[in-house]
Amino acid sequence: MGGAFAMQTSQLALTRTGNPGVINFANAEIAEQVQVASALGAAPGSAPLRPDHAC
């Protein structure tokens, strides 16, 4: 479930910032989650968020 949270928060960060450091970090986090999901044979962000993580 942490992967879905990381993907969604990183995607949100990309829509709300112009800071190059935040953009680089968010893109790196998304890329990492895609690689982890691929290694596990899952779709990135396919696990649902826990209710306490949902907005």
Side-chain angles (χ1 to χ4, degrees):
M1 284 190 263
F5 183 72
M7 288 278 292
Q8 289 185 5
T9 55
S10 293
Q11 289 166 342
L12 178 63
L14 290 175
T15 67
R16 296 197 176 182
T17 190
N19 182 307
V22 172
I23 291 169
N24 287 338
F25 181 82
N27 283 323
E29 183 65 33
I30 291 168
E32 178 183 26
Q33 293 305 319
V34 168
Q35 289 177 338
V36 168
S38 178
L40 297 174
S46 62
L49 290 177
R50 293 184 342 212
D52 60 325
H53 282 174
C55 303

